[in-house]
Amino acid sequence: MLFYAMHIIHLLTVILWIGGLAFVTSIVLPMAIKTPDALQKVLLFQRVEHRFAKVARTYNVITGATGFVMIFLAGWHRTLFTRAGIPLTVMTMIWVFWFVMLWGLEPFVIKKMLTNMLKDPKMDIDGIFKRLNTMHWFMVFISLVAATAGVFVAHIPIVF
Ligand code: HEM
């Protein structure tokens, strides 16, 4: 019963989290990039990113907590870093990457970078937004890889 509850919460949280990320990446970021005024461009993105990062931190913790409860309930933690546990290991490693991004890099590196952009009008803002765009699509991609790995864990056993 607890396992099923964790599974449902895990899945719903992932939908909200990755759906939100895809929205920011495919709608908000292009809107910011197309905004001609540099100040408006940075402000639009900064406001959305800061708000979303806070929510994403909560989603990250819930996804991780429910995932770890499930693997300990089922005893699957023993398959981590083994051949049979490749999808679980992939999902966990991508989660760790997100954890570091959201709790380590975003509040310090990204936040600082956006604040510096507002202070220094001579910065190559278009170049930075190009890199932000690439980084966001990369994060959407690896999140979809994690979701696919999750489907393997839940429904498609790997037999070597
Ligand atoms: C980026 C982070 C993660 C994403 C996007 C993600 C996504 C998913 C998805 C889409 C499923 C499939 C659910 C289904 O088909 O019904 C799933 C299942 C699962 N996830 Fe994750 N997950 C993440 C992190 C984790 C972590 C950190 C763990 C634990 C260490 C974990 C453990 C599990 C387990 C055990 C299942 C299978 C549940 C079952 O067999 O009933 N996940 N995940």
mmCIF file of all heavy atoms in Angstrom, residues 115-155:
data_model
loop_
_atom_site.group_PDB
_atom_site.id
_atom_site.type_symbol
_atom_site.label_atom_id
_atom_site.label_comp_id
_atom_site.label_asym_id
_atom_site.label_seq_id
_atom_site.Cartn_x
_atom_site.Cartn_y
_atom_site.Cartn_z
ATOM 1 N N THR A 115 21.905 38.457 -11.824
ATOM 2 C CA THR A 115 22.029 39.747 -11.139
ATOM 3 C C THR A 115 23.153 40.567 -11.769
ATOM 4 O O THR A 115 23.015 41.775 -11.990
ATOM 5 C CB THR A 115 22.302 39.532 -9.627
ATOM 6 O OG1 THR A 115 21.377 38.558 -9.150
ATOM 7 C CG2 THR A 115 22.138 40.808 -8.829
ATOM 8 N N ASN A 116 24.282 39.905 -12.095
ATOM 9 C CA ASN A 116 25.402 40.602 -12.745
ATOM 10 C C ASN A 116 25.000 41.158 -14.099
ATOM 11 O O ASN A 116 25.427 42.244 -14.488
ATOM 12 C CB ASN A 116 26.594 39.653 -12.936
ATOM 13 C CG ASN A 116 27.294 39.403 -11.616
ATOM 14 O OD1 ASN A 116 27.070 40.119 -10.646
ATOM 15 N ND2 ASN A 116 28.124 38.371 -11.563
ATOM 16 N N MET A 117 24.148 40.388 -14.828
ATOM 17 C CA MET A 117 23.711 40.846 -16.149
ATOM 18 C C MET A 117 22.929 42.150 -16.032
ATOM 19 O O MET A 117 23.004 43.018 -16.887
ATOM 20 C CB MET A 117 22.825 39.777 -16.800
ATOM 21 C CG MET A 117 23.593 38.731 -17.548
ATOM 22 S SD MET A 117 22.534 37.906 -18.717
ATOM 23 C CE MET A 117 21.937 36.551 -17.786
ATOM 24 N N LEU A 118 22.148 42.260 -14.932
ATOM 25 C CA LEU A 118 21.350 43.474 -14.736
ATOM 26 C C LEU A 118 22.248 44.668 -14.427
ATOM 27 O O LEU A 118 21.953 45.796 -14.783
ATOM 28 C CB LEU A 118 20.352 43.266 -13.590
ATOM 29 C CG LEU A 118 19.163 42.364 -13.905
ATOM 30 C CD1 LEU A 118 18.366 42.070 -12.649
ATOM 31 C CD2 LEU A 118 18.255 43.019 -14.947
ATOM 32 N N LYS A 119 23.379 44.370 -13.737
ATOM 33 C CA LYS A 119 24.275 45.459 -13.329
ATOM 34 C C LYS A 119 25.187 45.919 -14.457
ATOM 35 O O LYS A 119 25.563 47.076 -14.522
ATOM 36 C CB LYS A 119 25.141 44.971 -12.162
ATOM 37 C CG LYS A 119 24.402 44.984 -10.826
ATOM 38 C CD LYS A 119 25.399 44.693 -9.711
ATOM 39 C CE LYS A 119 24.750 44.085 -8.501
ATOM 40 N NZ LYS A 119 25.603 43.129 -7.813
ATOM 41 N N ASP A 120 25.578 44.978 -15.324
ATOM 42 C CA ASP A 120 26.575 45.293 -16.351
ATOM 43 C C ASP A 120 25.954 45.242 -17.753
ATOM 44 O O ASP A 120 25.834 44.178 -18.357
ATOM 45 C CB ASP A 120 27.734 44.282 -16.248
ATOM 46 C CG ASP A 120 28.845 44.600 -17.239
ATOM 47 O OD1 ASP A 120 28.725 45.603 -17.973
ATOM 48 O OD2 ASP A 120 29.830 43.836 -17.273
ATOM 49 N N PRO A 121 25.576 46.407 -18.315
ATOM 50 C CA PRO A 121 24.909 46.413 -19.618
ATOM 51 C C PRO A 121 25.837 46.013 -20.767
ATOM 52 O O PRO A 121 25.366 45.746 -21.868
ATOM 53 C CB PRO A 121 24.429 47.860 -19.754
ATOM 54 C CG PRO A 121 25.257 48.660 -18.799
ATOM 55 C CD PRO A 121 25.791 47.737 -17.750
ATOM 56 N N LYS A 122 27.174 45.995 -20.506
ATOM 57 C CA LYS A 122 28.107 45.670 -21.605
ATOM 58 C C LYS A 122 28.274 44.151 -21.786
ATOM 59 O O LYS A 122 28.958 43.702 -22.683
ATOM 60 C CB LYS A 122 29.468 46.326 -21.324
ATOM 61 C CG LYS A 122 29.490 47.772 -21.815
ATOM 62 C CD LYS A 122 30.856 48.405 -21.668
ATOM 63 C CE LYS A 122 30.829 49.526 -20.647
ATOM 64 N NZ LYS A 122 31.707 49.359 -19.531
ATOM 65 N N MET A 123 27.680 43.388 -20.905
ATOM 66 C CA MET A 123 27.813 41.925 -20.988
ATOM 67 C C MET A 123 27.190 41.384 -22.278
ATOM 68 O O MET A 123 26.246 41.976 -22.804
ATOM 69 C CB MET A 123 27.067 41.286 -19.816
ATOM 70 C CG MET A 123 27.960 40.855 -18.702
ATOM 71 S SD MET A 123 26.948 39.939 -17.556
ATOM 72 C CE MET A 123 28.195 39.098 -16.668
ATOM 73 N N ASP A 124 27.703 40.247 -22.757
ATOM 74 C CA ASP A 124 27.154 39.631 -23.977
ATOM 75 C C ASP A 124 25.874 38.867 -23.592
ATOM 76 O O ASP A 124 25.855 37.642 -23.484
ATOM 77 C CB ASP A 124 28.210 38.675 -24.575
ATOM 78 C CG ASP A 124 27.667 37.928 -25.784
ATOM 79 O OD1 ASP A 124 26.648 38.379 -26.355
ATOM 80 O OD2 ASP A 124 28.242 36.877 -26.125
ATOM 81 N N ILE A 125 24.791 39.636 -23.410
ATOM 82 C CA ILE A 125 23.545 39.039 -22.910
ATOM 83 C C ILE A 125 22.970 38.026 -23.904
ATOM 84 O O ILE A 125 22.526 36.944 -23.513
ATOM 85 C CB ILE A 125 22.524 40.149 -22.561
ATOM 86 C CG1 ILE A 125 23.077 40.893 -21.336
ATOM 87 C CG2 ILE A 125 21.141 39.575 -22.267
ATOM 88 C CD1 ILE A 125 22.239 41.996 -20.813
ATOM 89 N N ASP A 126 23.033 38.358 -25.216
ATOM 90 C CA ASP A 126 22.488 37.416 -26.208
ATOM 91 C C ASP A 126 23.250 36.095 -26.182
ATOM 92 O O ASP A 126 22.658 35.020 -26.292
ATOM 93 C CB ASP A 126 22.547 38.031 -27.609
ATOM 94 C CG ASP A 126 21.468 39.099 -27.759
ATOM 95 O OD1 ASP A 126 20.492 39.052 -26.984
ATOM 96 O OD2 ASP A 126 21.626 39.977 -28.624
ATOM 97 N N GLY A 127 24.586 36.190 -26.021
ATOM 98 C CA GLY A 127 25.418 34.975 -25.953
ATOM 99 C C GLY A 127 25.055 34.137 -24.729
ATOM 100 O O GLY A 127 24.947 32.909 -24.814
ATOM 101 N N ILE A 128 24.851 34.811 -23.606
ATOM 102 C CA ILE A 128 24.503 34.091 -22.369
ATOM 103 C C ILE A 128 23.143 33.408 -22.517
ATOM 104 O O ILE A 128 22.961 32.255 -22.126
ATOM 105 C CB ILE A 128 24.523 35.050 -21.150
ATOM 106 C CG1 ILE A 128 25.963 35.521 -20.886
ATOM 107 C CG2 ILE A 128 23.980 34.360 -19.898
ATOM 108 C CD1 ILE A 128 26.094 36.606 -19.848
ATOM 109 N N PHE A 129 22.189 34.114 -23.140
ATOM 110 C CA PHE A 129 20.859 33.505 -23.333
ATOM 111 C C PHE A 129 20.921 32.310 -24.286
ATOM 112 O O PHE A 129 20.166 31.354 -24.128
ATOM 113 C CB PHE A 129 19.847 34.553 -23.828
ATOM 114 C CG PHE A 129 19.112 35.178 -22.674
ATOM 115 C CD1 PHE A 129 19.691 36.186 -21.927
ATOM 116 C CD2 PHE A 129 17.864 34.717 -22.294
ATOM 117 C CE1 PHE A 129 19.038 36.737 -20.831
ATOM 118 C CE2 PHE A 129 17.204 35.260 -21.202
ATOM 119 C CZ PHE A 129 17.784 36.277 -20.480
ATOM 120 N N LYS A 130 21.825 32.371 -25.255
ATOM 121 C CA LYS A 130 22.003 31.236 -26.167
ATOM 122 C C LYS A 130 22.450 30.015 -25.365
ATOM 123 O O LYS A 130 21.960 28.901 -25.543
ATOM 124 C CB LYS A 130 23.071 31.589 -27.206
ATOM 125 C CG LYS A 130 22.658 31.243 -28.605
ATOM 126 C CD LYS A 130 23.725 31.670 -29.580
ATOM 127 C CE LYS A 130 23.129 31.683 -30.976
ATOM 128 N NZ LYS A 130 23.963 32.334 -31.921
ATOM 129 N N ARG A 131 23.421 30.257 -24.446
ATOM 130 C CA ARG A 131 23.931 29.159 -23.608
ATOM 131 C C ARG A 131 22.855 28.657 -22.645
ATOM 132 O O ARG A 131 22.709 27.460 -22.417
ATOM 133 C CB ARG A 131 25.182 29.605 -22.850
ATOM 134 C CG ARG A 131 26.451 29.198 -23.618
ATOM 135 C CD ARG A 131 27.699 29.645 -22.903
ATOM 136 N NE ARG A 131 27.943 31.060 -23.176
ATOM 137 C CZ ARG A 131 28.493 31.920 -22.320
ATOM 138 N NH1 ARG A 131 28.857 31.522 -21.129
ATOM 139 N NH2 ARG A 131 28.712 33.162 -22.652
ATOM 140 N N LEU A 132 22.074 29.599 -22.094
ATOM 141 C CA LEU A 132 20.983 29.208 -21.191
ATOM 142 C C LEU A 132 19.974 28.321 -21.922
ATOM 143 O O LEU A 132 19.455 27.348 -21.378
ATOM 144 C CB LEU A 132 20.253 30.452 -20.671
ATOM 145 C CG LEU A 132 20.880 31.189 -19.487
ATOM 146 C CD1 LEU A 132 20.122 32.476 -19.207
ATOM 147 C CD2 LEU A 132 20.867 30.310 -18.233
ATOM 148 N N ASN A 133 19.719 28.687 -23.200
ATOM 149 C CA ASN A 133 18.778 27.922 -24.013
ATOM 150 C C ASN A 133 19.277 26.488 -24.213
ATOM 151 O O ASN A 133 18.536 25.523 -23.978
ATOM 152 C CB ASN A 133 18.623 28.642 -25.362
ATOM 153 C CG ASN A 133 17.472 28.101 -26.167
ATOM 154 O OD1 ASN A 133 16.431 27.753 -25.610
ATOM 155 N ND2 ASN A 133 17.661 27.993 -27.465
ATOM 156 N N THR A 134 20.572 26.375 -24.588
ATOM 157 C CA THR A 134 21.157 25.039 -24.802
ATOM 158 C C THR A 134 21.099 24.241 -23.504
ATOM 159 O O THR A 134 20.722 23.051 -23.506
ATOM 160 C CB THR A 134 22.642 25.173 -25.243
ATOM 161 O OG1 THR A 134 22.689 26.090 -26.314
ATOM 162 C CG2 THR A 134 23.232 23.844 -25.660
ATOM 163 N N MET A 135 21.452 24.885 -22.380
ATOM 164 C CA MET A 135 21.476 24.207 -21.087
ATOM 165 C C MET A 135 20.068 23.709 -20.714
ATOM 166 O O MET A 135 19.900 22.587 -20.240
ATOM 167 C CB MET A 135 21.980 25.192 -20.027
ATOM 168 C CG MET A 135 22.260 24.605 -18.685
ATOM 169 S SD MET A 135 22.817 25.924 -17.591
ATOM 170 C CE MET A 135 21.277 26.449 -16.882
ATOM 171 N N HIS A 136 19.051 24.536 -20.975
ATOM 172 C CA HIS A 136 17.683 24.136 -20.613
ATOM 173 C C HIS A 136 17.207 22.947 -21.450
ATOM 174 O O HIS A 136 16.570 22.035 -20.927
ATOM 175 C CB HIS A 136 16.726 25.325 -20.756
ATOM 176 C CG HIS A 136 16.680 26.156 -19.516
ATOM 177 N ND1 HIS A 136 17.702 26.997 -19.157
ATOM 178 C CD2 HIS A 136 15.765 26.234 -18.520
ATOM 179 C CE1 HIS A 136 17.409 27.579 -18.006
ATOM 180 N NE2 HIS A 136 16.241 27.129 -17.598
ATOM 181 N N TRP A 137 17.521 22.959 -22.761
ATOM 182 C CA TRP A 137 17.104 21.817 -23.596
ATOM 183 C C TRP A 137 17.837 20.552 -23.172
ATOM 184 O O TRP A 137 17.265 19.460 -23.195
ATOM 185 C CB TRP A 137 17.323 22.112 -25.094
ATOM 186 C CG TRP A 137 16.203 22.938 -25.648
ATOM 187 C CD1 TRP A 137 16.262 24.237 -26.058
ATOM 188 C CD2 TRP A 137 14.827 22.541 -25.800
ATOM 189 N NE1 TRP A 137 15.022 24.669 -26.456
ATOM 190 C CE2 TRP A 137 14.122 23.654 -26.313
ATOM 191 C CE3 TRP A 137 14.122 21.358 -25.560
ATOM 192 C CZ2 TRP A 137 12.749 23.618 -26.599
ATOM 193 C CZ3 TRP A 137 12.757 21.320 -25.831
ATOM 194 C CH2 TRP A 137 12.093 22.437 -26.345
ATOM 195 N N PHE A 138 19.099 20.711 -22.750
ATOM 196 C CA PHE A 138 19.852 19.552 -22.259
ATOM 197 C C PHE A 138 19.170 18.991 -21.003
ATOM 198 O O PHE A 138 19.022 17.775 -20.846
ATOM 199 C CB PHE A 138 21.307 19.965 -21.948
ATOM 200 C CG PHE A 138 22.094 18.899 -21.254
ATOM 201 C CD1 PHE A 138 22.516 17.764 -21.948
ATOM 202 C CD2 PHE A 138 22.415 19.004 -19.900
ATOM 203 C CE1 PHE A 138 23.227 16.759 -21.297
ATOM 204 C CE2 PHE A 138 23.128 18.010 -19.249
ATOM 205 C CZ PHE A 138 23.534 16.880 -19.957
ATOM 206 N N MET A 139 18.694 19.886 -20.129
ATOM 207 C CA MET A 139 18.053 19.425 -18.891
ATOM 208 C C MET A 139 16.700 18.765 -19.176
ATOM 209 O O MET A 139 16.332 17.802 -18.515
ATOM 210 C CB MET A 139 17.934 20.580 -17.902
ATOM 211 C CG MET A 139 19.322 20.996 -17.413
ATOM 212 S SD MET A 139 19.331 22.141 -16.061
ATOM 213 C CE MET A 139 18.427 23.495 -16.682
ATOM 214 N N VAL A 140 15.977 19.284 -20.187
ATOM 215 C CA VAL A 140 14.721 18.613 -20.588
ATOM 216 C C VAL A 140 15.061 17.203 -21.083
ATOM 217 O O VAL A 140 14.421 16.220 -20.693
ATOM 218 C CB VAL A 140 13.989 19.411 -21.706
ATOM 219 C CG1 VAL A 140 12.841 18.597 -22.287
ATOM 220 C CG2 VAL A 140 13.472 20.740 -21.172
ATOM 221 N N PHE A 141 16.112 17.122 -21.913
ATOM 222 C CA PHE A 141 16.491 15.833 -22.497
ATOM 223 C C PHE A 141 16.847 14.817 -21.414
ATOM 224 O O PHE A 141 16.312 13.697 -21.393
ATOM 225 C CB PHE A 141 17.664 16.028 -23.479
ATOM 226 C CG PHE A 141 18.224 14.734 -23.994
ATOM 227 C CD1 PHE A 141 17.519 13.980 -24.922
ATOM 228 C CD2 PHE A 141 19.452 14.252 -23.533
ATOM 229 C CE1 PHE A 141 18.020 12.763 -25.388
ATOM 230 C CE2 PHE A 141 19.956 13.048 -23.986
ATOM 231 C CZ PHE A 141 19.244 12.298 -24.915
ATOM 232 N N ILE A 142 17.727 15.196 -20.480
ATOM 233 C CA ILE A 142 18.132 14.204 -19.475
ATOM 234 C C ILE A 142 16.960 13.846 -18.542
ATOM 235 O O ILE A 142 16.882 12.733 -18.045
ATOM 236 C CB ILE A 142 19.393 14.608 -18.660
ATOM 237 C CG1 ILE A 142 19.170 15.896 -17.903
ATOM 238 C CG2 ILE A 142 20.648 14.656 -19.508
ATOM 239 C CD1 ILE A 142 20.172 16.028 -16.764
ATOM 240 N N SER A 143 16.034 14.784 -18.348
ATOM 241 C CA SER A 143 14.867 14.475 -17.516
ATOM 242 C C SER A 143 13.990 13.441 -18.216
ATOM 243 O O SER A 143 13.427 12.543 -17.573
ATOM 244 C CB SER A 143 14.044 15.728 -17.245
ATOM 245 O OG SER A 143 14.870 16.691 -16.637
ATOM 246 N N LEU A 144 13.885 13.556 -19.552
ATOM 247 C CA LEU A 144 13.104 12.565 -20.294
ATOM 248 C C LEU A 144 13.814 11.207 -20.285
ATOM 249 O O LEU A 144 13.171 10.158 -20.242
ATOM 250 C CB LEU A 144 12.854 13.042 -21.737
ATOM 251 C CG LEU A 144 11.969 14.297 -21.852
ATOM 252 C CD1 LEU A 144 11.793 14.707 -23.309
ATOM 253 C CD2 LEU A 144 10.598 14.082 -21.210
ATOM 254 N N VAL A 145 15.147 11.242 -20.283
ATOM 255 C CA VAL A 145 15.909 9.989 -20.165
ATOM 256 C C VAL A 145 15.594 9.345 -18.806
ATOM 257 O O VAL A 145 15.336 8.132 -18.716
ATOM 258 C CB VAL A 145 17.433 10.241 -20.320
ATOM 259 C CG1 VAL A 145 18.234 8.996 -19.959
ATOM 260 C CG2 VAL A 145 17.765 10.695 -21.734
ATOM 261 N N ALA A 146 15.560 10.171 -17.737
ATOM 262 C CA ALA A 146 15.248 9.644 -16.396
ATOM 263 C C ALA A 146 13.840 9.056 -16.372
ATOM 264 O O ALA A 146 13.606 7.984 -15.792
ATOM 265 C CB ALA A 146 15.383 10.745 -15.345
ATOM 266 N N ALA A 147 12.878 9.751 -17.014
ATOM 267 C CA ALA A 147 11.496 9.258 -17.032
ATOM 268 C C ALA A 147 11.413 7.930 -17.790
ATOM 269 O O ALA A 147 10.715 6.996 -17.362
ATOM 270 C CB ALA A 147 10.580 10.303 -17.669
ATOM 271 N N THR A 148 12.157 7.829 -18.905
ATOM 272 C CA THR A 148 12.165 6.580 -19.670
ATOM 273 C C THR A 148 12.781 5.461 -18.827
ATOM 274 O O THR A 148 12.271 4.329 -18.796
ATOM 275 C CB THR A 148 12.975 6.768 -20.983
ATOM 276 O OG1 THR A 148 12.461 7.908 -21.657
ATOM 277 C CG2 THR A 148 12.896 5.542 -21.875
ATOM 278 N N ALA A 149 13.866 5.789 -18.122
ATOM 279 C CA ALA A 149 14.496 4.793 -17.236
ATOM 280 C C ALA A 149 13.489 4.334 -16.181
ATOM 281 O O ALA A 149 13.414 3.148 -15.842
ATOM 282 C CB ALA A 149 15.738 5.391 -16.581
ATOM 283 N N GLY A 150 12.663 5.280 -15.682
ATOM 284 C CA GLY A 150 11.632 4.951 -14.690
ATOM 285 C C GLY A 150 10.614 3.958 -15.239
ATOM 286 O O GLY A 150 10.207 3.028 -14.538
ATOM 287 N N VAL A 151 10.230 4.140 -16.505
ATOM 288 C CA VAL A 151 9.278 3.207 -17.122
ATOM 289 C C VAL A 151 9.912 1.813 -17.204
ATOM 290 O O VAL A 151 9.248 0.803 -16.950
ATOM 291 C CB VAL A 151 8.848 3.711 -18.528
ATOM 292 C CG1 VAL A 151 7.988 2.681 -19.243
ATOM 293 C CG2 VAL A 151 8.090 5.024 -18.403
ATOM 294 N N PHE A 152 11.218 1.760 -17.503
ATOM 295 C CA PHE A 152 11.918 0.456 -17.528
ATOM 296 C C PHE A 152 11.876 -0.180 -16.146
ATOM 297 O O PHE A 152 11.588 -1.360 -16.006
ATOM 298 C CB PHE A 152 13.366 0.632 -18.000
ATOM 299 C CG PHE A 152 13.499 0.505 -19.492
ATOM 300 C CD1 PHE A 152 13.340 1.610 -20.311
ATOM 301 C CD2 PHE A 152 13.769 -0.725 -20.071
ATOM 302 C CE1 PHE A 152 13.437 1.500 -21.690
ATOM 303 C CE2 PHE A 152 13.863 -0.849 -21.455
ATOM 304 C CZ PHE A 152 13.698 0.265 -22.263
ATOM 305 N N VAL A 153 12.158 0.628 -15.115
ATOM 306 C CA VAL A 153 12.165 0.079 -13.745
ATOM 307 C C VAL A 153 10.778 -0.474 -13.401
ATOM 308 O O VAL A 153 10.634 -1.558 -12.847
ATOM 309 C CB VAL A 153 12.582 1.149 -12.712
ATOM 310 C CG1 VAL A 153 12.495 0.587 -11.294
ATOM 311 C CG2 VAL A 153 13.994 1.655 -12.978
ATOM 312 N N ALA A 154 9.734 0.289 -13.768
ATOM 313 C CA ALA A 154 8.381 -0.081 -13.352
ATOM 314 C C ALA A 154 7.770 -1.192 -14.203
ATOM 315 O O ALA A 154 6.994 -2.003 -13.704
ATOM 316 C CB ALA A 154 7.485 1.154 -13.391
ATOM 317 N N HIS A 155 8.116 -1.238 -15.498
ATOM 318 C CA HIS A 155 7.347 -2.135 -16.392
ATOM 319 C C HIS A 155 8.175 -3.061 -17.282
ATOM 320 O O HIS A 155 7.644 -4.018 -17.823
ATOM 321 C CB HIS A 155 6.439 -1.308 -17.320
ATOM 322 C CG HIS A 155 5.605 -0.307 -16.601
ATOM 323 N ND1 HIS A 155 4.497 -0.651 -15.869
ATOM 324 C CD2 HIS A 155 5.725 1.047 -16.472
ATOM 325 C CE1 HIS A 155 3.960 0.444 -15.337
ATOM 326 N NE2 HIS A 155 4.700 1.483 -15.688
#
